[in-house]
Amino acid sequence: MPDSLSPLFPALTPNRHGMLAVDDIHTIYWEECGNPDGIPVLFLHGGPGAGLSPQHRRFFDPQRYRVILFDQRGAGKSTPLGEWRNNTTQLLIDDIEVLRAQFGIDQWLVFGGSWGSTLALAYGQAHPAACLGFVLRGIFLCTQAEIDWFIEGVRWFYPELYAEFAAPIPPEERGDLLAAYVQRILSSDPAVYWPAARAWSRFEGRRVYLMPQPEDAPNDALDLGVGRLESHYMANLGFFEEDQLIRNMGRIAHLPAVIVQGRYDAICPPLSAYRLQQAWPGAQLEMIPDAGHGALEHGIASALVRATERFVPGRGFA
């Protein structure tokens, strides 16, 4: 069970891990944790490009779950880091199916937060028969309105962060900050792409939590993965048609789901979670009143653990 100081289960190490070449460019890192005979669950990290953390293993009872986690193309321990070529939502979905076959899994629970919720929905809509259900957090539907909010709308709450983000861009380019950053972040010149990637990562990272957190140590892997891949995916509308994930909800509406959303999420505002639940009447939306975007904020982490417990046989959904 979770310990007294944290809603999460105790730390655990992978039973096995490895690297899998998925094409001529990309090799992805994967790991398997928990009970090999337990309920299969797929963990999808955010970003795109944010990669895994050891904390991500702790949302699941290791006695009851077989947890499969992987770093998506260009993220974390996958190589090459920050690579945007051959990197689309459709290719990530293909990678998930390769992993499912590798592990011999017929169906699994799909767990994802932020961009991970986007990928979870896209994967489920492409392969509904492979899914037992969903646990989703900080919903991002990858619509133009949400991307506009991420770049421009947030200035209403974090004007100082927006000013810092816009400052390195010449005034004549500030009418389209996304395009200006993509041009720099995807440059081949380290003197150009490193400052842009770090600025992008700071712009997002400093508004993850409701309450201010101590500054993290510099993390080049996170900055490059998040900066390059988030800007790449946003510039391409996530490789979706506009509002595709809502329009295709009929493909998975029969499956159970829990949606966990921070009320004061300044990265993925609650409207998207509300829209998703309205399109998915069987899904249960839990709005956390004292949380922002962070999966490890106490209220959100507690709700996510409760959600995974509900999929254990005899408890709620299962």
Side-chain angles (χ1 to χ4, degrees), residues 1-196:
M1 293 296 292
D3 61 46
S4 59
L5 299 179
S6 170
L8 302 179
F9 288 94
L12 75 159
T13 56
N15 301 329
R16 54 185 180 139
H17 59 88
M19 303 292 290
L20 175 67
V22 289
D23 67 12
D24 292 340
I25 297 176
H26 292 274
T27 300
I28 60 173
Y29 169 81
W30 59 264
E31 59 186 42
E32 180 183 18
C33 307
N35 181 353
D37 297 318
I39 305 160
V41 59
L42 171 69
F43 179 92
L44 298 174
H45 67 69
L52 296 175
S53 159
Q55 300 285 64
H56 293 157
R57 308 166 190 155
R58 300 179 59 196
F59 292 108
F60 313 95
D61 184 342
Q63 301 302 313
R64 297 183 179 273
Y65 275 100
R66 179 188 182 190
V67 188
I68 309 300
L69 311 92
F70 77 105
D71 284 320
Q72 296 157 31
R73 295 184 181 212
K77 296 178 183 178
S78 293
T79 60
L81 176 66
E83 179 57 70
W84 71 93
R85 294 173 299 166
N86 288 12
N87 202 327
T88 68
T89 303
Q90 292 72 32
L91 290 171
L92 298 183
I93 290 170
D94 291 345
D95 294 346
I96 293 170
E97 280 294 277
V98 170
L99 287 170
R100 187 170 69 87
Q102 174 178 300
F103 288 106
I105 293 170
D106 292 327
Q107 290 183 305
W108 46 12
L109 179 66
V110 183
F111 181 114
S114 193
W115 162 256
S117 75
T118 321
L119 183 56
L121 291 168
Y123 171 75
Q125 290 174 5
H127 299 282
C131 303
L132 295 169
F134 300 84
V135 177
L136 306 174
R137 170 196 62 83
I139 303 303
F140 182 58
L141 300 172
C142 215
T143 61
Q144 188 63 59
E146 290 165 296
I147 294 168
D148 291 345
W149 162 267
F150 181 89
I151 301 291
E152 298 289 343
V154 74
R155 73 168 81 181
W156 286 92
F157 286 88
Y158 289 94
E160 73 285 6
L161 293 186
Y162 179 84
E164 180 183 300
F165 183 64
I169 305 300
E172 62 272 17
E173 294 184 57
R174 291 178 191 169
D176 190 344
L177 285 176
L178 176 56
Y181 266 92
V182 167
Q183 180 183 1
R184 289 160 176 79
I185 290 174
L186 302 189
S187 166
S188 61
D189 183 352
V192 174
Y193 69 69
W194 271 118

Side-chain angles (χ1 to χ4, degrees), residues 262-276:
R263 171 64 73 184
Y264 298 105
D265 190 332
I267 293 176
C268 299
L271 177 59
S272 296
Y274 178 79
R275 291 188 67 228
L276 180 61

